[in-house]
Amino acid sequence: MHMPRRSYAIWWNEGNGPKHVGKLEIARPHALLSGNGPRRLAVLLADITSIEYRRGEVLIDRRGTTGLRIGSLDAPGTLLELAHSLNS
């Protein structure tokens, strides 16, 4: 089934790594994170083991790799929508 692409303005980091600013696009079967620089990350949605909204961040655990922290640069409520979209 075709799903429209959804895009969110975010910051993210993997584990204790540096923060990156850019956008997250959900385009099944991946969530694609990209920034102004060369950093890009494709997260296979099937590899996500848990998604938690906590203290203004979305925490994502992934199978076999480092977890992600995501924060919003968009309007209030965007992170809850993002967490729900990743869970769907």
Side-chain angles (χ1 to χ4, degrees), residues 41-62:
L41 178 65
V43 176
L44 186 60
L45 296 176
D47 286 345
I48 294 175
T49 58
S50 71
I51 299 170
E52 181 181 350
Y53 176 80
R54 184 174 39 176
R55 291 183 294 235
E57 297 178 346
V58 172
L59 308 173
I60 299 174
D61 288 324
R62 300 178 290 164

Side-chain angles (χ1 to χ4, degrees), residues 1-83:
M1 181 162 93
H2 177 70
M3 183 173 97
R5 185 179 292 233
R6 291 177 273 181
S7 180
Y8 302 90
I10 61 157
W11 61 261
W12 82 92
N13 76 327
E14 293 181 89
N16 293 322
K19 282 188 180 178
H20 304 280
V21 173
K23 67 180 177 178
L24 181 146
E25 295 177 278
I26 300 173
R28 304 230 183 256
H30 296 91
L32 307 170
L33 294 86
S34 59
N36 292 337
R39 183 67 178 134
R40 298 199 189 311
L41 178 65
V43 176
L44 186 60
L45 296 176
D47 286 345
I48 294 175
T49 58
S50 71
I51 299 170
E52 181 181 350
Y53 176 80
R54 184 174 39 176
R55 291 183 294 235
E57 297 178 346
V58 172
L59 308 173
I60 299 174
D61 288 324
R62 300 178 290 164
R63 190 173 297 114
T65 191
T66 307
L68 290 173
R69 288 178 35 227
I70 298 174
S72 176
L73 301 175
D74 270 334
T78 300
L79 281 178
L80 289 175
E81 178 184 325
L82 170 63

